[in-house]
Amino acid sequence: MTWRREYTHLTTATADAVWKRWTTPEDWAVDDPDLRLATFPVPPSVGDSGRVVNHGTPAQRFTFTELQPGVAMNFRIGLPGAVLSFPHRMRQTPNGLSVTHAVEITGPLALVFGPLVGRKIAAGLPAVVRLVTTNALADMAADARGE
């Protein structure tokens, strides 16, 4: 069983600027209003573990399962009877960089955790993707100014 939702946003930010936001733990809490803290090794590698703390919930351990610089990043959190994954993708289009964040739940209890956990996460995806791309543009502007 699989439960999945995703959101895509076009931006003029570069893939490098978005990649930096995806792979810097301090940026995660800035780009995700529901997140209080993220910790993981920098630069991350596939198989590395980290920890995320959302506002009002216990810490969750996660593992990076995919890291393709400038292309894709994914990490997963184990749930009883399911796996919660966060696939991130970007690709250049004629209209700009297409940036997609998704939430995917797989396993025997995916259809239970989808409405319980996934729906709230999915509702926040548009804001998170817009913050990632907006902050990537701000990072690019600061770099251009030499800050």
Side-chain angles (χ1 to χ4, degrees):
M1 295 269 152
T2 299
W3 184 98
R4 180 183 171 95
R5 301 293 185 274
E6 67 180 35
Y7 181 78
T8 300
H9 183 73
L10 283 175
T11 182
T12 56
T14 64
D16 286 344
V18 171
W19 183 254
K20 182 242 175 228
R21 307 260 356 142
W22 285 358
T23 57
T24 303
E26 296 82 11
D27 290 343
W28 284 25
V30 172
D31 295 340
D32 185 342
D34 290 333
L35 193 64
R36 187 168 62 84
L37 174 72
T39 59
F40 56 85
V42 177
S45 299
V46 171
D48 282 350
S49 292
R51 189 172 73 103
V52 289
V53 181
N54 288 318
H55 296 285
T57 64
Q60 297 286 317
R61 296 210 48 82
F62 70 89
T63 303
F64 284 101
T65 57
E66 181 180 18
L67 291 159
Q68 294 181 52
V71 177
M73 185 265 287
N74 194 2
F75 60 95
R76 67 183 173 127
I77 296 171
L79 300 172
V83 174
L84 174 63
S85 296
F86 295 88
H88 294 56
R89 300 269 182 265
M90 63 178 125
R91 67 179 177 81
Q92 196 61 51
T93 75
N95 298 317
L97 185 68
S98 172
V99 179
T100 301
H101 287 200
V103 56
E104 183 174 280
I105 304 172
T106 57
L109 295 179
L111 297 182
V112 172
F113 281 111
L116 289 176
V117 175
R119 185 177 297 156
K120 181 180 184 318
I121 296 168
L125 289 178
V128 172
V129 177
R130 285 192 297 268
L131 282 167
V132 166
T133 57
T134 298
N135 290 329
L137 288 167
D139 292 346
M140 291 168 55
D143 289 348
R145 290 189 306 269
E147 295 177 6

